[in-house]
């Protein structure tokens, strides 16, 4: 059936943004407060940030600016995310984005003036305020890459323009693409972005699955040039900014905020491309054998090992599964899960114009909001557990750290989310000794958790790295070159086991991660840490859980190496990654043994 419009969705399937603001007018009141606070900070501190006392006093107000930017920004952006057809919400979001750009530009003097002070003054300011400590330490780290104050002001004022490629990508994908129905076995089927990615990609009927893939790929190809132009604008902008700030390459610039070296970045991609590929090719052969396929194509990689055994799960049943599966993390964690369901912090709806995939938006001092499209599949339970992992992580960060230190490196950010997927799988394995059930759970681990994070996103990362190598040499990319790069990346990983068609090459068009810096590779980095931490929990119990909770609360006070170390994992070597790849291979071994 066709996706319905947002207005026709039952309220209980939608999230309740009144948890942020009761009314739109309340949001606008905070927007006015934001502007007033901006003016006050400018009047009281511009040209005067020359003592530790004045610096900390200014930053105390600036923390409130950050909170108001987050509140107003999320309130407007989340409304757009569930309905790109709503013109009022689009206009309101643009208005708040313009305000945020103006405020950011006006207050850009704060960082510039503080950086102009002697390091000794900054050290005194750091010692005097734990709430501002992280912000000031980061300024010291960023000092070598700081531009002239007027240049920083101009760049800040252009923030909305600089982010426009991502907006163009989303509008093209969510609002402009209208998918026609397709025919399979003499029957007509509706098609849409989420219908394909959340349903047809897993369809056990080969004719329907491949028909949907062909029709979907044909439609998105019609938009390949505008999508490529938006992406090229993104990477060229990143190259320009990297050069302006004195970074030797785009990669160095994008890894700088993650606090990781190129060694960690390249190791993650190269080791998985080389060492995981043989295991996943074996898994592809198994799927081909089980489903008696004439050939293994890219469209067949997400089918289940035992699709007849994939149980339907209601939203109510998912709550029970997740509460029990994650109970090992403690009563406070389970209470957070209950609140998410009870207070409508989750948007389950399937409607036209809604963002695809899933995400979690966490507001400092508030709760998190989770978006997904519910399809009554166990895969949805894993997705929701994943997003609740982000929610639990940032609840711990926000309650323990200043807003300045409440974020975390993207290298680590997917560890708490993928940890939850593993805990859910291990819980399910303990609920039954039936071999078929065990094989199904193990196949969920491979086909969902590891395929999504160690294959899908890792291949995106390998492709993305090639794009940046071209850009760093002064080149540019277009639809033809992006199709070629993606096809070559897929062929390198899957070898002769999977046929990679020209349609598969258009996979680069389907992910928003390329507009978020070097994000794609961090899924496998996070899951590597999660796999090792989960093993500790399985072996050691509560002591390992206690360590993990300390990690969740640490926020940005530690870099990824420090966070992993707090969980008892040394990521300065390749041992955790190689052990995780071997673990994936062992699971595939067991699935093969359990397959009749």
């Amino acid at each position: 059936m066709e996706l319905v419009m947002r207005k026709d969705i039952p309220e209980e399937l939608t999230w309740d943004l009144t948890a942020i603001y009761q009314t739109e007018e309340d949001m606008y009141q905070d927007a006015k407060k934001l502007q007033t606070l901006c003016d006050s900070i400018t009047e009281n501190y511009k040209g005067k940030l020359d003592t530790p006392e004045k610096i900390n006093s200014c930053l105390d107000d600036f923390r409130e600016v950050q909170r108001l930017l987050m509140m107003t920004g999320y309130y407007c952006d989340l409304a757009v995310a569930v309905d790109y057809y709503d013109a009022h919400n689009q206009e309101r979001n643009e208005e708040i984005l313009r305000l945020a750009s103006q405020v950011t530009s006006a207050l850009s003097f704060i960082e510039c003036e503080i950086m102009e002070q002697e390091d000794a003054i900054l050290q005194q300011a750091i010692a005097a305020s734990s709430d501002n400590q992280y912000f000031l330490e980061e300024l010291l780290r960023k000092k070598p890459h700081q531009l002239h104050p007027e240049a920083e002001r101009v760049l800040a004022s252009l923030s909305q323009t600089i982010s426009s490629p991502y907006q163009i990508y989303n509008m093209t994908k969510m609002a402009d693409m209208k998918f026609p129905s397709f025919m399979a076995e003499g029957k007509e089927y509706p098609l849409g972005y989420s219908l394909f990615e959340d349903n047809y990609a897993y369809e056990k009927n080969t004719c329907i699955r491949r028909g949907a893939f062909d029709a979907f790929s044909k439609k998105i190809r019609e938009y390949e040039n505008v999508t490529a132009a938006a992406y090229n604008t993104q990477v060229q902008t990143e190259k320009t900014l990297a050069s302006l700030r004195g970074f030797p390459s785009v990669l160095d610039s994008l890894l700088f905020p993650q606090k990781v070296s190129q060694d960690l970045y390249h190791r993650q991609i190269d080791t998985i491309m080389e060492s995981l590929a043989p295991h996943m090719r074996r898994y592809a052969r198994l799927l081909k054998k089980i489903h008696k396929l004439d050939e293994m194509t890219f469209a067949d990689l997400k089918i289940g090992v035992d699709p007849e055994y994939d149980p339907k799960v209601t939203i109510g049943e998912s709550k029970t599964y997740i509460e029990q599966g994650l109970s090992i993390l403690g009563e406070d964690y389970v209470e957070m899960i209950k609140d998410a369901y009870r207070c409508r912090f989750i948007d389950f709806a399937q409607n036209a114009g809604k963002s695809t995939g899933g995400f979690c938006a966490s507001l400092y001092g508030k709760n998190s909001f989770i978006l997904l499209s519910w399809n009554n599949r166990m895969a949805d339970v894993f997705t929701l557990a994943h997003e609740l992992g982000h929610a639990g992580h940032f609840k711990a960060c926000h309650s323990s750290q200043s807003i300045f230190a409440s974020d975390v490196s993207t290298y680590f950010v997917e560890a708490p989310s993928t940890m939850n997927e593993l805990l859910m799988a291990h819980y399910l394995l303990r609920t039954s000794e039936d071999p078929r059930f065990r094989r199904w759970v193990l196949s969920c681990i491979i086909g969902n958790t590891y395929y999504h994070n160690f294959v899908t996103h890792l291949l995106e990362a390998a492709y993305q790295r090639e794009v940046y190598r071209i850009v760093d040499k002064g080149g540019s990319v277009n639809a033809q070159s992006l199709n070629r790069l993606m096809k070559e990346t897929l062929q390198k990983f899957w070898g002769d086991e999977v046929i990679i068609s020209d349609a598969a090459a258009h996979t680069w068009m389907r992910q928003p991660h390329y507009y978020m810096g070097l994000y794609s590779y961090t899924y496998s980095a996070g899951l590597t840490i999660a796999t090792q931490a989960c093993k500790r929990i399985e072996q050691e119990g509560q002591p390992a859980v206690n360590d993990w909770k300390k990690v969740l609360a640490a926020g940005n006070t530690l870099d990824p190496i420090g966070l992993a170390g707090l969980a008892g994992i040394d990521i300065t070597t390749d041992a955790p990654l190689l052990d995780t790849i071997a673990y994936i291979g062992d699971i595939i071994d067991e699935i093969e043994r359990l397959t009749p």
Side-chain angles (χ1 to χ4, degrees):
M1 58 186 291
E2 296 284 354
L3 288 178
V4 301
M5 301 304 292
R6 182 71 178 183
K7 64 181 178 60
D8 298 319
I9 295 293
E11 183 181 79
E12 63 269 19
L13 297 180
T14 66
W15 56 26
D16 180 13
L17 297 184
T18 63
I20 307 177
Y21 292 111
Q22 280 292 321
T23 67
E24 182 180 270
E25 180 57 32
D26 291 336
M27 185 277 296
Y28 278 119
Q29 287 297 321
D30 261 4
K32 291 177 183 177
K33 181 179 177 182
L34 177 60
Q35 184 64 69
T36 300
L37 184 56
C38 173
D39 295 340
S40 173
I41 291 174
T42 302
E43 180 181 353
N44 293 329
Y45 298 107
K46 191 169 186 179
K48 305 171 184 176
L49 295 176
D50 53 3
T51 68
E53 293 76 20
K54 288 179 181 177
I55 288 172
N56 276 319
S57 180
C58 177
L59 292 182
D60 290 343
D61 287 342
F62 192 50
R63 291 203 310 275
E64 177 65 4
V65 168
Q66 298 302 308
R67 189 188 71 83
L68 292 172
L69 283 171
M70 181 182 292
M71 292 275 287
T72 55
Y74 271 138
Y75 180 78
C76 296
D77 185 65
L78 293 176
V80 171
V82 293
D83 189 0
Y84 272 83
Y85 296 136
D86 190 311
H88 171 74
N89 288 342
Q90 289 280 359
E91 292 169 2
R92 186 179 65 184
N93 194 42
E94 289 295 319
E95 181 182 356
I96 294 301
L97 285 172
R98 287 192 297 272
L99 174 62
S101 179
Q102 292 165 9
V103 169
T104 304
S105 175
L107 298 183
S108 63
F109 77 87
I110 296 174
E111 290 196 12
C112 295
E113 286 193 25
I114 294 175
M115 284 191 189
E116 289 174 350
Q117 306 308 311
E118 297 291 335
D119 286 2
I121 292 178
L122 269 65
Q123 292 294 353
Q124 291 174 42
I126 288 171
S129 175
S130 59
D131 285 336
N132 299 329
Q133 176 183 346
Y134 176 79
F135 182 89
L136 292 167
E137 289 174 343
E138 276 299 284
L139 289 191
L140 283 171
R141 198 171 73 91
K142 290 161 56 177
K143 215 171 184 180
H145 304 288
Q146 187 75 2
L147 304 179
H148 185 278
E150 183 60 18
E152 292 290 352
R153 186 194 67 78
V154 171
L155 284 177
S157 69
L158 289 171
S159 59
Q160 186 178 0
T161 302
I162 291 172
S163 65
S164 63
Y166 184 36
Q167 293 175 281
I168 293 169
Y169 170 80
N170 274 329
M171 289 301 292
T172 302
K173 177 178 176 180
M174 297 290 130
D176 286 349
M177 287 188 191
K178 304 293 193 299
F179 290 84
S181 58
F182 69 98
M183 298 296 296
E185 298 181 329
K187 184 178 177 181
E188 187 174 5
Y189 293 88
L191 185 61
Y193 230 106
S194 62
L195 276 176
F196 172 73
E197 292 194 332
D198 297 331
N199 288 282
Y200 293 126
Y202 304 90
E203 169 61 47
K204 63 183 179 182
N205 184 303
T206 301
C207 184
I208 297 173
R209 182 179 64 253
R210 291 179 180 175
F213 178 78
D214 291 341
F216 177 81
S217 300
K218 181 180 178 181
K219 171 52 66 172
I220 66 173
R221 183 177 182 178
E222 294 175 8
Y223 296 84
E224 65 176 359
N225 290 311
V226 67
T227 307
Y231 183 35
N232 186 56
T233 302
Q234 173 75 22
V235 296
Q236 296 300 336
T237 300
E238 290 169 337
K239 170 61 176 175
T240 300
L241 292 173
S243 299
L244 285 173
R245 295 194 179 280
F247 287 99
S249 71
V250 180
L251 294 180
D252 288 298
S253 172
L254 296 176
L255 288 171
F256 183 81
Q258 295 183 9
K259 300 181 182 177
V260 296
S261 66
Q262 281 208 35
D263 288 342
L264 267 68
Y265 168 72
H266 291 301
R267 177 208 295 163
Q268 201 69 27
I269 296 174
D270 293 335
T271 304
I272 293 176
M273 289 292 288
E274 179 180 345
S275 300
L276 180 63
H279 295 303
M280 294 310 300
R281 291 173 188 174
R282 188 156 48 91
Y283 184 69
R285 286 197 300 271
L286 180 62
L287 291 177
K288 180 182 177 182
K289 173 187 173 183
I290 290 172
H291 291 271
K292 298 180 173 60
L293 300 176
D294 54 336
E295 58 187 15
M296 192 68 185
T297 74
F298 187 76
D300 303 321
L301 286 169
K302 290 190 176 181
I303 51 178
V305 165
D306 193 352
E308 300 294 339
Y309 198 71
D310 193 11
K312 296 295 181 183
V313 183
T314 66
I315 292 173
E317 290 168 338
S318 74
K319 180 174 179 290
T320 302
Y321 274 120
I322 293 175
E323 285 179 12
Q324 294 176 354
L326 302 181
S327 61
I328 192 171
L329 296 177
E331 293 181 7
D332 56 338
Y333 204 95
V334 173
E335 193 60 33
M336 180 271 297
I337 295 169
K338 291 179 178 178
D339 283 343
Y341 282 88
R342 180 170 54 233
C343 302
R344 288 177 47 216
F345 296 154
I346 307 168
D347 200 274
F348 296 98
Q350 288 194 47
N351 62 266
K354 181 178 177 178
S355 293
T356 60
F359 67 72
C360 175
S362 299
L363 285 75
Y364 189 83
K366 291 278 188 178
N367 54 279
S368 296
F369 288 88
I370 293 170
L371 177 146
L372 75 162
S373 295
W374 192 261
N375 293 279
N376 295 310
R377 296 169 52 245
M378 184 58 77
D380 300 325
V381 179
F382 281 91
T383 298
L384 185 49
H386 176 108
E387 301 304 340
L388 285 165
H390 289 305
H393 180 198
F394 285 105
K395 181 181 179 183
C397 288
H398 293 173
S399 62
S400 303
Q401 308 296 338
S402 156
I403 193 170
F404 287 148
S406 64
D407 207 346
V408 71
S409 167
T410 50
Y411 185 94
F412 180 84
V413 77
E414 295 298 337
S417 53
T418 51
M419 164 69 93
N420 278 13
E421 293 188 55
L422 296 177
L423 291 176
M424 283 298 306
H426 290 179
Y427 160 74
L428 290 172
L429 287 172
R430 292 193 296 270
T431 64
S432 173
E433 296 182 358
D434 177 52
R436 189 179 184 188
F437 179 81
R438 182 173 180 83
R439 184 180 73 149
W440 171 75
V441 175
L442 293 173
S443 69
C444 284
I445 298 175
I446 297 300
N448 292 317
T449 300
Y450 285 105
Y451 184 91
H452 187 68
N453 299 286
F454 258 72
V455 180
T456 298
H457 292 320
L458 192 281
L459 293 177
E460 293 168 10
Y463 147 85
Q464 184 186 36
R465 182 173 63 174
E466 297 309 308
V467 171
Y468 283 123
R469 283 173 171 167
I470 291 172
V471 171
D472 260 331
K473 293 178 181 178
S476 61
V477 291
N478 54 38
Q480 289 69 39
S481 59
L482 294 174
N483 289 335
R484 174 181 57 78
L485 288 174
M486 178 55 78
K487 189 171 185 178
E488 289 174 353
T489 301
L490 294 173
Q491 288 173 331
K492 180 180 179 180
F493 186 84
W494 291 110
D496 296 331
E497 296 299 334
V498 180
I499 295 173
I500 306 298
S501 65
D502 290 340
H506 284 86
T507 303
W508 66 269
M509 296 179 62
R510 293 166 52 184
Q511 286 293 351
H513 297 127
Y514 308 129
Y515 300 87
M516 304 173 186
L518 297 177
Y519 194 6
S520 296
Y521 90 101
T522 65
Y523 282 87
S524 62
L527 183 51
T528 300
I529 295 171
T531 301
Q532 300 304 308
C534 189
K535 280 189 169 184
R536 272 201 67 206
I537 289 174
E538 291 291 315
Q539 294 167 2
E540 302 174 27
Q542 196 59 45
V545 172
N546 293 341
D547 284 345
W548 188 244
K549 286 191 163 188
K550 292 175 185 176
V551 172
L552 296 183
N556 238 336
T557 59
L558 296 172
D559 63 16
I561 291 175
L563 289 170
L566 191 59
I569 304 155
D570 182 8
I571 61 171
T572 63
T573 75
D574 61 3
L577 179 55
L578 291 173
D579 183 75
T580 299
I581 292 173
Y583 175 68
I584 295 171
D586 290 343
I587 294 176
I588 295 173
D589 286 343
E590 185 170 359
I591 293 173
E592 287 181 320
R593 290 195 299 271
L594 292 172
T595 298

